[in-house]
Amino acid sequence: MYTSLSATHLTVTRKANHLTAEEKIVTAKKQQATTTSVTGVSVGPWPSATTKTLQKWSKAHPAFHLASESYLRTQRRMLFLHDIPEKRRWPRFLDETKRRHLSNTTAESYWTAYLATKGPMGAAQNDADKKALKWLGKQAAQTITATPVPMTAENVAQVMRLETDPRLALAIALAWSLGQRISDVAQLRKADITMHGDVLAITVRKGKVVPIIGPYVLSMASSHPLAMPLWSQCQKPGCHLFLEEDSDEQRAAFAKRVQRALSLLNCGLEARSIRRGGLQ
């Protein structure tokens, strides 16, 4: 059934989807209890901003009711810098990034998030802010990112045949078929999947590009080999398709399981291989 995936033509369309404010309001009130660095060592939570700073940001932020959860969570993490004198913010930021062993690209994204909070907080970007961002950009540009080995249709068929967890196998196959990031697919809720005649509509509300383009819809024909397994999964108890709950810990554990499943097929495969292979 699944070995015919490469021969199935999947029509994918994206469009803006207007959601209610309640669906888009951040659950940024939830802060993770601990943060683990890439070395696997617990480095503790991000510093907390004062209540005054949090209240000012939430009231003044122009996109508080429109931005995605991940976008606002990143900004919220950087709010503690507003409780530090201006001249000490950059050194403190560097200390935090080094302590957490953040990559250059991640550090650049966090500083960009901090700069995005300055307007709503009634402050303007200064030359030092821009120089810091430029420096981080150069550091990130020098980071060599290896091109992932693309996942093939044969690999997908192997996953569907060998993986003992059917939900994990379905998530990997779905991400490959739709050309989506596995991390985005992992966050899908059952309410995001709706049937319209002979077409399944898959609304992506959380993910890397959602803060930029907003939620978007992917369409899958009901004749697609994955359509019925996906729809059947939606009928089972629970809110989420592939996670027990949408938390940092669950997403991290899911990512490890994906990597383990891919490694059994080919030691060169990684999470990025799924989307790369699907797009090819």
Side-chain angles (χ1 to χ4, degrees):
M1 178 180 182
Y2 296 106
T3 54
S4 63
L5 283 176
S6 60
T8 302
H9 296 286
L10 174 65
T11 302
V12 179
T13 58
R14 301 186 182 191
K15 61 181 179 180
N17 189 43
H18 300 288
L19 306 178
T20 64
E22 288 76 19
E23 288 176 306
K24 288 189 174 181
I25 289 180
V26 145
T27 57
K29 295 179 181 178
K30 294 194 228 169
Q31 274 189 303
Q32 44 184 135
T34 59
T35 302
T36 304
S37 71
V38 293
T39 62
V41 179
S42 179
V43 293
W46 283 87
S48 298
T50 61
T51 301
K52 181 179 179 180
T53 296
L54 284 172
Q55 290 178 342
K56 184 176 181 179
W57 172 75
S58 62
K59 292 180 180 179
H61 198 297
F64 182 69
H65 297 294
L66 299 176
S68 75
E69 177 183 347
S70 59
Y71 177 72
L72 287 178
R73 184 168 59 232
T74 302
Q75 285 201 14
R76 183 188 175 106
R77 284 177 176 169
M78 295 297 101
L79 289 179
F80 75 94
L81 292 173
H82 289 281
D83 295 321
I84 300 172
E86 184 87 30
K87 292 183 178 180
R88 291 170 50 195
R89 292 178 187 176
W90 172 242
R92 178 62 185 280
F93 174 80
L94 286 181
D95 287 342
E96 286 293 333
T97 58
K98 290 177 181 178
R99 188 167 70 91
R100 298 170 188 283
H101 303 280
L102 299 184
S103 67
N104 292 327
T105 52
T106 301
E108 181 187 20
S109 67
Y110 273 123
W111 186 252
T112 301
Y114 158 66
L115 296 182
T117 66
K118 297 196 78 173
M121 295 299 290
Q125 294 184 26
N126 54 44
D127 290 339
D129 291 333
K130 296 175 182 177
K131 288 181 180 179
L133 182 61
K134 186 176 181 180
W135 182 83
L136 286 170
K138 288 182 178 180
Q139 297 300 309
Q142 293 174 4
T143 302
I144 300 176
T145 304
T147 301
V149 176
M151 189 176 192
T152 65
E154 182 181 357
N155 293 147
V156 177
Q158 289 176 323
V159 168
M160 299 301 295
R161 186 173 65 253
L162 302 176
E163 177 54 48
T164 57
D165 182 352
R167 285 204 301 177
L168 180 63
L170 178 60
I172 293 174
L174 184 64
W176 184 87
S177 297
L178 298 176
Q180 296 295 296
R181 295 176 179 83
I182 187 65
S183 57
D184 296 357
V185 170
Q187 298 183 77
L188 287 174
R189 299 170 66 93
K190 292 176 181 177
D192 298 332
I193 315 299
T194 54
M195 180 76 80
H196 301 277
D198 58 354
V199 173
L200 275 182
I202 305 168
T203 304
V204 181
R205 304 173 192 270
K206 296 181 180 181
K208 185 175 181 179
V209 301
V210 172
I212 302 173
I213 67 173
Y216 55 93
V217 177
L218 306 173
S219 299
M220 173 180 282
S222 59
S223 58
H224 191 285
L226 294 179
M228 287 304 102
L230 177 60
W231 186 245
S232 296
Q233 184 63 38
C234 291
Q235 310 313 308
K236 296 179 181 179
C239 298
H240 302 279
L241 272 172
F242 306 114
L243 302 175
E244 297 306 320
E245 61 179 25
D246 190 7
S247 66
D248 291 338
E249 292 77 11
Q250 282 281 317
R251 288 191 292 272
F254 183 84
K256 289 181 180 179
R257 290 166 54 213
V258 168
Q259 186 56 56
R260 184 164 56 247
L262 296 179
S263 298
L264 293 176
L265 303 179
N266 183 333
C267 61
L269 291 177
E270 56 180 280
R272 294 184 301 153
S273 301
I274 302 173
R275 180 170 182 264
R276 182 174 177 82
L279 292 176
Q280 288 185 349

